[in-house]
Amino acid sequence: MLFNSFHFLFFFLVVTSLYFTVPHKWRWLLLLVSSCYFYMAFVPIYILILGITIVIDYFAGISIESAKAKNRKAFLTISLIANISVLCIFKYFNFLNHNFSFLMHGFGLKNPIPYLSILLPIGLSFHTFQAMSYTIEVYRGNQKAERHFGIYSLYVMFYPQLVAGPIERPQNLLHQFREKHRFEYFRVSEGLKLIVWGFFKKLVIADRLAIYVNAVYNNVPHHSGFSLFVATIFFAFQIYCDFSAYSDIAIGLAKVMGFHLMTNFNRPYFARNIAEFWKRWHISLSTWFKDYLYIPLGGNRVPVPRWYFNLFLVFLVSGLWHGANWTYIIWGALNGFYLIFANISQKFRDKFNQSVGLNQVPKISVFVQTTITFTLICFAWIFFRANQVTDAFTIIKKISTLRGPLFIENPSKMIYSLAAIGFLMLIEYKREYYKGRVKFFDNKNWLVRNFSYASLIIIILLFGVFDGGQFIYFQF
Amino acid sequence: MLETIIYKINKSDFSYFVIKLSLFLFLVFSLDFIIGHTLRYFYFKQQSGLQYEATFAIEKTKANVLIFGSSRACNHYIPSVLEEKLGLTCYNAGRYGSPILYHLAVLKSVLKRYHPKMIILDVNLQEFEKIEGSYDVLSSLLPYYKTHPEMRSIIEMRGKYEKLKLLSGIYPFNSEMLTIAIGNTEMNKKRRDTFDGYIPLRNKWIDPIPDYAFPQDYDVDSNRLQAYKVFINDCKKANVNLYIACSPYLSKNRFKDRSISIAKAIAKKENVPFFDYSNYLPLIKPYLYHDTPHLNQDGARFYSNLVANEILKTSLIKGIR
């Protein structure tokens, strides 16, 4: 069930109405049943996989809490192995097997291991990571083990963030299922506003840009360097709007019912360096890796070479988390490399800025830094979006010449795409640098505020792509 | 001020929310109504462009001969050539990217108004292929949903919530604002891209003839197939002489397409002439093509003459002229 479908609209109306109607003690059940229905609308059978990991993690949590120090680690290991095994089987098995075949072929041997013909369960990486954060936090003593099986299941399955995050922490979410949420006007309207804004980003920007990006990236040999360059820029905005739209809608849906989910995006394309970008992009995943991988590896409190290794490894794993393909691994490695290089070149860059006087003109300095960061991120997106590694290299080669005509299938659709990006950047620029000034969406006047949101809905009707597909991050 | 008054009258958050939401929805529906009606007015006021051509085919043309089909019909059949050869007025009602379901919807509207003497339906390779999301292209019919009830059942195939979406005044004109604006200016007229629905292509293919392998193992869409059968039956019922053709493709590879075989078999069963030029060797010449599926204007002239001559050979034409 996609957020951008009528099926979901009816589902949301029914579930939310019932949520505020049923007594508090039954609300967890209502949400759990609704979440099961929501998940089963994709591929029903996969709820069993989710069910198995929920049972394992539920008992692991209780066992970790009640066991002695030595056994606690064993229970945590069992839980982590179970979760990672599910990921490996469904997400990485065929990828690993394919690479193994390639290796065997190199030695003139045949790979006897057959491929699995299975579909990747939707949102597997998201709910697996959320489940893992629970057992880790119980192990660390930051979270009490949840004894209520239904509420624990709901923590993993809460429908707004079940398939594409934000990846929540038990300390933030679990207790909220026990709290009594009243119908509050302010909170409900804030939630609905976020949902409208999410739909705007998805339907007007992401799905519009997807038409061009797909046409060009799915047919790389037939497109010029200039078209590929434009498609890459478009993809940067497509993926941002697609994913942040999902997060906005998820946070908004939860907010309507009284739940607070963590912020997942904070205008990432205004970041001035790669490290800042990762503090603004997919925040729930970045912090997950920081808390559960980077810091346990030693973080930056280790010798410099080891620190760089830690950074590189975290981004390599992050790439692999996104998908079982070398394109994602290279994308992750590239981001890791960016960060290491930024650290190595810090002194040189500071000197250079001083010598050209850039640090004396802060506005220009910010502009230059933002542009360079955006360019580096776009370069990495080429690997993320390319269907194959060879395609990515062809794209880079073609873009480097910037030759050839610009592919324009329909001039008016191209104008809509550019206008959509312009509109988004205008709003984000205002929010980033002029927060208190010229308020439309937060205006104190009811008419101005509501007219702004009504206009957003009208723009969706006028320029939205209603036949667009699912959210990109569903596949992860 | 307004908010304070409403809140004082309705002390509960829920009543307050319902009132505010109602006011907001009223604002949205009012804007939708006003903008939707404005777009409708300007859509049907267009005097040039592809949307105007579609409206002309659906609501105005009284031509003796009508051409139906996708871009290949638009680019391959020159009405003036057919008029000269056949001695009958002709209009090209083809539309870019449109499937048989679109042609059937237009046919139903045309037959409600008048009965043309002859119809030429151009079918494509893979015409009946089942493709996910392929009904999206029927969006070009959305502006006619309100005023053309005969089209509704076909338009509603776009999705099960289409009826609901069409409650909006703006939705039928989704993504069309710029095109409508241009259609209301002199820009298209000055460009003169269309001639009685025919759109000439001017490039010449200079690359070697490609060797395309068309897929053969695709599933057939029963709705598309049914639409083809209904198209034939509606023409028969209305006593319209129907000719079906598959115009040529530039490809080295000679192919046998599943859809064309089915279309041919049905035409044969229904006693409808079928001209298959998909593998016609005298037309496999690069200089006659704009790109591999589309003839340029020289190719279109050659091909239109060929079709007209073929029609003249049949016995059906004698009763018409």
mmCIF file with all atom_site columns, all heavy atoms in Angstrom, chain B residues 117-129:
data_model
loop_
_atom_site.group_PDB
_atom_site.id
_atom_site.type_symbol
_atom_site.label_atom_id
_atom_site.label_alt_id
_atom_site.label_comp_id
_atom_site.label_asym_id
_atom_site.label_entity_id
_atom_site.label_seq_id
_atom_site.pdbx_PDB_ins_code
_atom_site.Cartn_x
_atom_site.Cartn_y
_atom_site.Cartn_z
_atom_site.occupancy
_atom_site.B_iso_or_equiv
_atom_site.pdbx_formal_charge
_atom_site.auth_seq_id
_atom_site.auth_comp_id
_atom_site.auth_asym_id
_atom_site.auth_atom_id
_atom_site.pdbx_PDB_model_num
ATOM 1   N N   . LYS B 1 117 ? -17.467 7.769  -44.241 1.00 0.00 ? 117 LYS B N   1
ATOM 2   C CA  . LYS B 1 117 ? -17.617 6.721  -45.269 1.00 0.00 ? 117 LYS B CA  1
ATOM 3   C C   . LYS B 1 117 ? -16.539 5.653  -45.111 1.00 0.00 ? 117 LYS B C   1
ATOM 4   O O   . LYS B 1 117 ? -16.755 4.493  -45.424 1.00 0.00 ? 117 LYS B O   1
ATOM 5   C CB  . LYS B 1 117 ? -17.524 7.352  -46.659 1.00 0.00 ? 117 LYS B CB  1
ATOM 6   C CG  . LYS B 1 117 ? -18.749 8.166  -47.005 1.00 0.00 ? 117 LYS B CG  1
ATOM 7   C CD  . LYS B 1 117 ? -18.665 8.746  -48.398 1.00 0.00 ? 117 LYS B CD  1
ATOM 8   C CE  . LYS B 1 117 ? -19.960 9.490  -48.694 1.00 0.00 ? 117 LYS B CE  1
ATOM 9   N NZ  . LYS B 1 117 ? -19.875 10.249 -49.929 1.00 0.00 ? 117 LYS B NZ  1
ATOM 10  N N   . MET B 1 118 ? -15.394 6.092  -44.637 1.00 0.00 ? 118 MET B N   1
ATOM 11  C CA  . MET B 1 118 ? -14.280 5.142  -44.556 1.00 0.00 ? 118 MET B CA  1
ATOM 12  C C   . MET B 1 118 ? -13.392 5.457  -43.349 1.00 0.00 ? 118 MET B C   1
ATOM 13  O O   . MET B 1 118 ? -13.202 6.629  -43.015 1.00 0.00 ? 118 MET B O   1
ATOM 14  C CB  . MET B 1 118 ? -13.442 5.251  -45.839 1.00 0.00 ? 118 MET B CB  1
ATOM 15  C CG  . MET B 1 118 ? -12.332 4.239  -45.950 1.00 0.00 ? 118 MET B CG  1
ATOM 16  S SD  . MET B 1 118 ? -11.158 4.696  -47.243 1.00 0.00 ? 118 MET B SD  1
ATOM 17  C CE  . MET B 1 118 ? -12.158 4.578  -48.707 1.00 0.00 ? 118 MET B CE  1
ATOM 18  N N   . ILE B 1 119 ? -12.879 4.391  -42.761 1.00 0.00 ? 119 ILE B N   1
ATOM 19  C CA  . ILE B 1 119 ? -11.919 4.570  -41.663 1.00 0.00 ? 119 ILE B CA  1
ATOM 20  C C   . ILE B 1 119 ? -10.690 3.709  -41.948 1.00 0.00 ? 119 ILE B C   1
ATOM 21  O O   . ILE B 1 119 ? -10.822 2.549  -42.353 1.00 0.00 ? 119 ILE B O   1
ATOM 22  C CB  . ILE B 1 119 ? -12.551 4.205  -40.299 1.00 0.00 ? 119 ILE B CB  1
ATOM 23  C CG1 . ILE B 1 119 ? -13.453 5.360  -39.815 1.00 0.00 ? 119 ILE B CG1 1
ATOM 24  C CG2 . ILE B 1 119 ? -11.489 3.911  -39.240 1.00 0.00 ? 119 ILE B CG2 1
ATOM 25  C CD1 . ILE B 1 119 ? -14.209 5.093  -38.552 1.00 0.00 ? 119 ILE B CD1 1
ATOM 26  N N   . ILE B 1 120 ? -9.507  4.292  -41.753 1.00 0.00 ? 120 ILE B N   1
ATOM 27  C CA  . ILE B 1 120 ? -8.274  3.502  -41.840 1.00 0.00 ? 120 ILE B CA  1
ATOM 28  C C   . ILE B 1 120 ? -7.689  3.447  -40.433 1.00 0.00 ? 120 ILE B C   1
ATOM 29  O O   . ILE B 1 120 ? -7.431  4.490  -39.826 1.00 0.00 ? 120 ILE B O   1
ATOM 30  C CB  . ILE B 1 120 ? -7.256  4.129  -42.811 1.00 0.00 ? 120 ILE B CB  1
ATOM 31  C CG1 . ILE B 1 120 ? -7.875  4.266  -44.213 1.00 0.00 ? 120 ILE B CG1 1
ATOM 32  C CG2 . ILE B 1 120 ? -5.981  3.302  -42.867 1.00 0.00 ? 120 ILE B CG2 1
ATOM 33  C CD1 . ILE B 1 120 ? -7.028  5.083  -45.192 1.00 0.00 ? 120 ILE B CD1 1
ATOM 34  N N   . LEU B 1 121 ? -7.539  2.244  -39.928 1.00 0.00 ? 121 LEU B N   1
ATOM 35  C CA  . LEU B 1 121 ? -6.963  2.075  -38.586 1.00 0.00 ? 121 LEU B CA  1
ATOM 36  C C   . LEU B 1 121 ? -5.543  1.536  -38.728 1.00 0.00 ? 121 LEU B C   1
ATOM 37  O O   . LEU B 1 121 ? -5.345  0.463  -39.302 1.00 0.00 ? 121 LEU B O   1
ATOM 38  C CB  . LEU B 1 121 ? -7.820  1.098  -37.768 1.00 0.00 ? 121 LEU B CB  1
ATOM 39  C CG  . LEU B 1 121 ? -7.223  0.636  -36.431 1.00 0.00 ? 121 LEU B CG  1
ATOM 40  C CD1 . LEU B 1 121 ? -7.131  1.790  -35.438 1.00 0.00 ? 121 LEU B CD1 1
ATOM 41  C CD2 . LEU B 1 121 ? -8.058  -0.498 -35.822 1.00 0.00 ? 121 LEU B CD2 1
ATOM 42  N N   . ASP B 1 122 ? -4.576  2.292  -38.239 1.00 0.00 ? 122 ASP B N   1
ATOM 43  C CA  . ASP B 1 122 ? -3.185  1.841  -38.296 1.00 0.00 ? 122 ASP B CA  1
ATOM 44  C C   . ASP B 1 122 ? -2.824  1.167  -36.969 1.00 0.00 ? 122 ASP B C   1
ATOM 45  O O   . ASP B 1 122 ? -2.950  1.783  -35.904 1.00 0.00 ? 122 ASP B O   1
ATOM 46  C CB  . ASP B 1 122 ? -2.257  3.032  -38.546 1.00 0.00 ? 122 ASP B CB  1
ATOM 47  C CG  . ASP B 1 122 ? -0.838  2.583  -38.847 1.00 0.00 ? 122 ASP B CG  1
ATOM 48  O OD1 . ASP B 1 122 ? -0.537  2.298  -40.010 1.00 0.00 ? 122 ASP B OD1 1
ATOM 49  O OD2 . ASP B 1 122 ? -0.044  2.496  -37.887 1.00 0.00 ? 122 ASP B OD2 1
ATOM 50  N N   . VAL B 1 123 ? -2.419  -0.101 -37.059 1.00 0.00 ? 123 VAL B N   1
ATOM 51  C CA  . VAL B 1 123 ? -2.034  -0.803 -35.826 1.00 0.00 ? 123 VAL B CA  1
ATOM 52  C C   . VAL B 1 123 ? -0.510  -0.958 -35.763 1.00 0.00 ? 123 VAL B C   1
ATOM 53  O O   . VAL B 1 123 ? 0.151   -1.001 -36.784 1.00 0.00 ? 123 VAL B O   1
ATOM 54  C CB  . VAL B 1 123 ? -2.717  -2.198 -35.691 1.00 0.00 ? 123 VAL B CB  1
ATOM 55  C CG1 . VAL B 1 123 ? -4.206  -2.061 -35.455 1.00 0.00 ? 123 VAL B CG1 1
ATOM 56  C CG2 . VAL B 1 123 ? -2.435  -3.066 -36.891 1.00 0.00 ? 123 VAL B CG2 1
ATOM 57  N N   . ASN B 1 124 ? -0.006  -1.055 -34.544 1.00 0.00 ? 124 ASN B N   1
ATOM 58  C CA  . ASN B 1 124 ? 1.449   -1.157 -34.334 1.00 0.00 ? 124 ASN B CA  1
ATOM 59  C C   . ASN B 1 124 ? 1.865   -2.575 -34.002 1.00 0.00 ? 124 ASN B C   1
ATOM 60  O O   . ASN B 1 124 ? 1.029   -3.375 -33.565 1.00 0.00 ? 124 ASN B O   1
ATOM 61  C CB  . ASN B 1 124 ? 1.870   -0.282 -33.150 1.00 0.00 ? 124 ASN B CB  1
ATOM 62  C CG  . ASN B 1 124 ? 1.738   1.185  -33.450 1.00 0.00 ? 124 ASN B CG  1
ATOM 63  O OD1 . ASN B 1 124 ? 1.965   1.603  -34.590 1.00 0.00 ? 124 ASN B OD1 1
ATOM 64  N ND2 . ASN B 1 124 ? 1.366   1.955  -32.462 1.00 0.00 ? 124 ASN B ND2 1
ATOM 65  N N   . LEU B 1 125 ? 3.149   -2.828 -34.142 1.00 0.00 ? 125 LEU B N   1
ATOM 66  C CA  . LEU B 1 125 ? 3.692   -4.078 -33.592 1.00 0.00 ? 125 LEU B CA  1
ATOM 67  C C   . LEU B 1 125 ? 3.468   -3.999 -32.082 1.00 0.00 ? 125 LEU B C   1
ATOM 68  O O   . LEU B 1 125 ? 3.541   -2.908 -31.508 1.00 0.00 ? 125 LEU B O   1
ATOM 69  C CB  . LEU B 1 125 ? 5.191   -4.179 -33.860 1.00 0.00 ? 125 LEU B CB  1
ATOM 70  C CG  . LEU B 1 125 ? 5.653   -4.214 -35.314 1.00 0.00 ? 125 LEU B CG  1
ATOM 71  C CD1 . LEU B 1 125 ? 7.172   -4.327 -35.361 1.00 0.00 ? 125 LEU B CD1 1
ATOM 72  C CD2 . LEU B 1 125 ? 5.049   -5.379 -36.060 1.00 0.00 ? 125 LEU B CD2 1
ATOM 73  N N   . GLN B 1 126 ? 3.207   -5.112 -31.473 1.00 0.00 ? 126 GLN B N   1
ATOM 74  C CA  . GLN B 1 126 ? 2.971   -5.180 -30.011 1.00 0.00 ? 126 GLN B CA  1
ATOM 75  C C   . GLN B 1 126 ? 1.751   -4.347 -29.576 1.00 0.00 ? 126 GLN B C   1
ATOM 76  O O   . GLN B 1 126 ? 1.676   -3.892 -28.449 1.00 0.00 ? 126 GLN B O   1
ATOM 77  C CB  . GLN B 1 126 ? 4.210   -4.713 -29.230 1.00 0.00 ? 126 GLN B CB  1
ATOM 78  C CG  . GLN B 1 126 ? 5.427   -5.594 -29.466 1.00 0.00 ? 126 GLN B CG  1
ATOM 79  C CD  . GLN B 1 126 ? 6.716   -4.870 -29.143 1.00 0.00 ? 126 GLN B CD  1
ATOM 80  O OE1 . GLN B 1 126 ? 7.406   -4.394 -30.033 1.00 0.00 ? 126 GLN B OE1 1
ATOM 81  N NE2 . GLN B 1 126 ? 7.037   -4.773 -27.877 1.00 0.00 ? 126 GLN B NE2 1
ATOM 82  N N   . GLU B 1 127 ? 0.829   -4.146 -30.481 1.00 0.00 ? 127 GLU B N   1
ATOM 83  C CA  . GLU B 1 127 ? -0.366  -3.335 -30.196 1.00 0.00 ? 127 GLU B CA  1
ATOM 84  C C   . GLU B 1 127 ? -1.150  -3.874 -28.995 1.00 0.00 ? 127 GLU B C   1
ATOM 85  O O   . GLU B 1 127 ? -1.687  -3.117 -28.200 1.00 0.00 ? 127 GLU B O   1
ATOM 86  C CB  . GLU B 1 127 ? -1.273  -3.317 -31.435 1.00 0.00 ? 127 GLU B CB  1
ATOM 87  C CG  . GLU B 1 127 ? -2.524  -2.485 -31.315 1.00 0.00 ? 127 GLU B CG  1
ATOM 88  C CD  . GLU B 1 127 ? -2.259  -0.977 -31.418 1.00 0.00 ? 127 GLU B CD  1
ATOM 89  O OE1 . GLU B 1 127 ? -1.684  -0.547 -32.406 1.00 0.00 ? 127 GLU B OE1 1
ATOM 90  O OE2 . GLU B 1 127 ? -2.637  -0.260 -30.479 1.00 0.00 ? 127 GLU B OE2 1
ATOM 91  N N   . PHE B 1 128 ? -1.180  -5.192 -28.849 1.00 0.00 ? 128 PHE B N   1
ATOM 92  C CA  . PHE B 1 128 ? -2.001  -5.781 -27.781 1.00 0.00 ? 128 PHE B CA  1
ATOM 93  C C   . PHE B 1 128 ? -1.166  -6.211 -26.569 1.00 0.00 ? 128 PHE B C   1
ATOM 94  O O   . PHE B 1 128 ? -1.658  -6.947 -25.717 1.00 0.00 ? 128 PHE B O   1
ATOM 95  C CB  . PHE B 1 128 ? -2.783  -6.996 -28.311 1.00 0.00 ? 128 PHE B CB  1
ATOM 96  C CG  . PHE B 1 128 ? -3.595  -6.697 -29.538 1.00 0.00 ? 128 PHE B CG  1
ATOM 97  C CD1 . PHE B 1 128 ? -3.522  -7.523 -30.658 1.00 0.00 ? 128 PHE B CD1 1
ATOM 98  C CD2 . PHE B 1 128 ? -4.429  -5.592 -29.585 1.00 0.00 ? 128 PHE B CD2 1
ATOM 99  C CE1 . PHE B 1 128 ? -4.265  -7.250 -31.797 1.00 0.00 ? 128 PHE B CE1 1
ATOM 100 C CE2 . PHE B 1 128 ? -5.172  -5.300 -30.720 1.00 0.00 ? 128 PHE B CE2 1
ATOM 101 C CZ  . PHE B 1 128 ? -5.088  -6.130 -31.835 1.00 0.00 ? 128 PHE B CZ  1
ATOM 102 N N   . GLU B 1 129 ? 0.074   -5.798 -26.539 1.00 0.00 ? 129 GLU B N   1
ATOM 103 C CA  . GLU B 1 129 ? 0.942   -6.235 -25.435 1.00 0.00 ? 129 GLU B CA  1
ATOM 104 C C   . GLU B 1 129 ? 0.442   -5.699 -24.088 1.00 0.00 ? 129 GLU B C   1
ATOM 105 O O   . GLU B 1 129 ? 0.025   -4.547 -23.972 1.00 0.00 ? 129 GLU B O   1
ATOM 106 C CB  . GLU B 1 129 ? 2.381   -5.744 -25.657 1.00 0.00 ? 129 GLU B CB  1
ATOM 107 C CG  . GLU B 1 129 ? 3.337   -6.301 -24.619 1.00 0.00 ? 129 GLU B CG  1
ATOM 108 C CD  . GLU B 1 129 ? 4.770   -5.806 -24.797 1.00 0.00 ? 129 GLU B CD  1
ATOM 109 O OE1 . GLU B 1 129 ? 5.013   -4.991 -25.692 1.00 0.00 ? 129 GLU B OE1 1
ATOM 110 O OE2 . GLU B 1 129 ? 5.623   -6.257 -24.012 1.00 0.00 ? 129 GLU B OE2 1
#
